[in-house]
Amino acid sequence: MKFVDEFRDADLGRVVATEILGAVEPGRHYKIMEVCGGHTHSIYKYGIDDLLPANVELVHGPGCPVCVIPMGRLDDGIAIARNPEVIFTCFGDMMRVPGSEGSLLEAKAEGADIRMVYSPLDALRIAKQNPDREVVFFAIGFETTAPSTALTLKRAKAEGVPNFSCVCNHVTIVPPLRALLDSPDLRLDGFVGPGHVSTVVGARPFQFIPADYGKPIVIAGFEPLDILQAIRMILAQLAERRCEVENQYTRVVPFEGNRRALEVMAEVFELRPHFEWRGLGFISQSGLRLSNAYADFDAELRFSAPGVRVADPKACQCGEVLKGVIKPWECKVFGTACTPERPIGTCMVSSEGACAAYYNFGRFAREREVV
Amino acid sequence: MTECTSEHCITCGDDGVPMRVLRIDAERGLALCVDDDGNKSTVEIALVEPVALGDSVLVHAGVALVTLEQAVGA
């Protein structure tokens, strides 16, 4: 497959792994955070961490949108979904995320009309097909997904679809990275930067990482060779005492991003003063809501919802996993009370969540180590 | 609409699917695209216009975010 097969070549992978081995200083421990959940998934799926020297540690970041959504926001969505006149639409992974009183899937089983969609455009289509019902889209995602919601809302406005609205949970990637870099818990040496977020925002927003914090960041693709090469590029920067934004994923990511996507987002959304992130708490200007021009499509204004903050279950350590403070298997309930079939925390729900990725792919390798 | 059962949820993660443009409806800003497995879907192309038949685009949540050939070497 073009753009895929050539980046899964095992022989080339071994060559890059050997180069990585040659690039590390013996006795130095390297901590590299992969920001994006898609990278976490690939790392475990392809066993990339097994190819790295023991002193290169990968730390999983907060870049899975399902994993960072706080329980209170989900409760609000479920409350809206339970309205008899509402058809509630969301992406697949949201369905099993536990709220304080069950998940969307459970609400659906109890009779709520909740439907899975692949795109907000599908939700708009449902609205046009059901003019006598209210159709609500539960929007989540970083800057990769936000343009899709924005274009859908523009289309809804242009075509005059009054029964369509949106619960906006879109978040932006830079504020949580800054929060992590300011956290005293972590000592990171560099970042594998998010690939597809960067197709929208470009490389420029990440320049604060080398400029303000003196750390390298390399924007990377999602195939095994992409990630290995990005790690090699980070180690090369560290060895040469450089720190800058580099783009490994040039076949997809233009340095300037997508100007039109940024414009449509600026038209449809505005920054919330604060937004809560699971595990990271409230972060200033890190979430998006609909702008005044699109207030008519704001489901939070159209429907009443509890709007309260709900604490995570005590047993759940997703917050520490999301901050990279502990590894998934170090959580007290990992693989026992919390599994992908019956998740307690969000990191076990999404396939991009660190716990689910590790549970599905990585734990067998660890069991071999333990034996 | 099919159930999201793949191991890698295309809508949730920072995931993108390379697709080839088969047909263009410029007036509505839409294109019919096909991925390498032969799955076809209607894709919003407002963010990457102009595209030509046969172009490869990266699609996320029903929207083409970048024309792949353009990004190479950028």
Side-chain angles (χ1 to χ4, degrees):
Chain A
M1 194 192 297
K2 196 182 174 191
F3 300 119
V4 173
D5 290 343
E6 54 269 53
F7 295 93
R8 292 181 184 173
D9 185 309
D11 291 335
L12 270 176
R14 278 186 278 274
V15 170
V16 182
T18 306
E19 288 173 4
I20 288 172
L21 194 59
V24 296
E25 292 173 33
R28 177 174 177 183
H29 188 82
Y30 299 85
K31 267 178 131 174
I32 296 170
M33 173 174 276
E34 85 275 4
V35 173
C36 178
H39 286 142
T40 305
H41 182 92
S42 293
I43 285 164
Y44 285 137
K45 180 175 179 183
Y46 296 106
I48 289 169
D49 47 345
D50 293 340
L51 292 171
L52 300 177
N55 57 337
V56 176
E57 180 188 352
L58 294 178
V59 179
H60 318 304
C64 161
V66 163
C67 299
V68 297
I69 195 157
M71 214 175 238
R73 297 290 300 174
L74 185 66
D75 283 356
D76 289 350
I78 292 172
I80 293 171
R82 287 189 190 280
N83 281 304
E85 77 271 25
V86 166
I87 299 173
F88 194 84
T89 58
C90 65
F91 294 149
D93 277 12
M94 276 313 304
M95 297 287 277
R96 293 187 303 119
V97 176
S100 64
E101 291 174 16
S103 65
L104 285 162
L105 201 59
E106 286 164 324
K108 181 180 169 71
E110 289 161 12
D113 191 347
I114 300 172
R115 306 184 190 182
M116 213 152 24
V117 292
Y118 276 106
S119 156
L121 290 162
D122 292 337
L124 182 62
R125 200 170 302 127
I126 293 170
K128 287 193 270 190
Q129 289 163 353
N130 295 274
D132 55 335
R133 304 278 302 277
E134 284 286 337
V135 175
V136 179
F137 176 64
F138 194 75
I140 63 161
F142 286 90
E143 288 94 334
T144 332
T145 322
S148 181
T149 305
L151 284 172
T152 303
L153 287 164
K154 265 185 80 105
R155 206 174 265 276
K157 190 174 186 181
E159 296 178 10
V161 187
N163 62 324
F164 180 74
S165 61
C166 180
V167 181
C168 185
N169 300 288
H170 284 300
V171 285
T172 57
I173 193 69
V174 165
L177 289 183
R178 200 177 272 281
L180 280 170
L181 281 160
D182 287 335
S183 163
D185 297 341
L186 277 182
R187 187 199 59 82
L188 295 168
D189 294 288
F191 290 88
V192 176
H196 294 151
V197 164
S198 304
T199 61
V200 174
V201 302
R204 204 178 301 281
F206 302 110
Q207 282 173 336
F208 77 96
I209 295 177
D212 298 349
Y213 296 91
K215 314 278 186 195
I217 176 166
V218 176
I219 294 162
F222 296 88
E223 297 301 330
L225 271 174
D226 289 321
I227 297 170
L228 281 170
Q229 192 189 7
I231 293 167
R232 190 186 64 77
M233 290 165 76
I234 292 167
L235 293 170
Q237 286 199 38
L238 292 169
E240 295 160 16
R241 306 281 188 269
R242 286 187 292 124
C243 62
E244 54 195 83
V245 181
E246 287 185 300
N247 183 8
Q248 179 277 334
Y249 203 24
T250 53
R251 69 184 185 280
V252 171
V253 175
F255 192 85
E256 297 295 333
N258 186 321
R259 186 178 48 79
R260 272 185 247 168
L262 294 172
E263 284 171 359
V264 74
M265 284 169 64
E267 177 189 336
V268 173
F269 302 123
E270 62 185 27
L271 282 169
R272 294 174 188 266
H274 301 282
F275 193 75
E276 187 188 2
W277 293 60
R278 181 176 278 229
L280 302 176
F282 285 90
I283 301 177
S284 297
Q285 303 200 320
S286 64
L288 302 176
R289 65 183 174 200
L290 303 195
S291 64
N292 283 337
Y294 286 84
D296 288 348
F297 295 93
D298 191 339
E300 290 177 70
L301 301 177
R302 196 177 292 193
F303 300 94
S304 65
V308 294
R309 186 174 184 273
V310 180
D312 291 336
K314 277 188 183 161
C316 175
Q317 292 181 278
C318 278
E320 287 148 285
V321 172
L322 285 166
K323 284 190 285 191
V325 176
I326 65 167
K327 301 291 185 192
W329 65 86
E330 291 170 329
C331 173
K332 294 186 289 287
V333 291
F334 173 83
T336 52
C338 184
T339 63
E341 290 75 31
R342 293 193 69 81
I344 292 176
T346 47
C347 297
M348 193 57 101
V349 177
S350 163
S351 52
E352 276 77 32
C355 295
Y358 190 79
Y359 186 89
N360 288 327
F361 300 113
R363 64 196 165 112
F364 301 110
R366 185 163 175 81
E367 279 163 13
R368 282 200 301 275
E369 279 170 34
V370 172
V371 171
Chain B
M1 254 170 285
T2 51
E3 187 155 333
C4 180
T5 53
S6 73
E7 61 178 40
H8 203 70
C9 183
I10 63 156
T11 50
C12 166
D14 188 11
D15 197 23
V17 182
M19 300 188 93
R20 197 161 42 83
V21 176
L22 291 180
R23 211 159 55 217
I24 298 169
D25 181 345
E27 199 177 316
R28 295 168 65 206
L30 300 172
L32 180 68
C33 296
V34 63
D35 68 13
D36 279 326
D37 294 327
N39 301 310
K40 292 177 185 171
S41 59
T42 302
V43 170
E44 177 98 45
I45 53 170
L47 303 181
V48 294
E49 281 179 319
V51 290
L53 295 180
D55 277 358
S56 286
V57 290
L58 186 84
V59 177
H60 175 90
V63 172
L65 291 177
V66 65
T67 306
L68 289 171
E69 281 80 1
Q70 279 178 0
V72 175

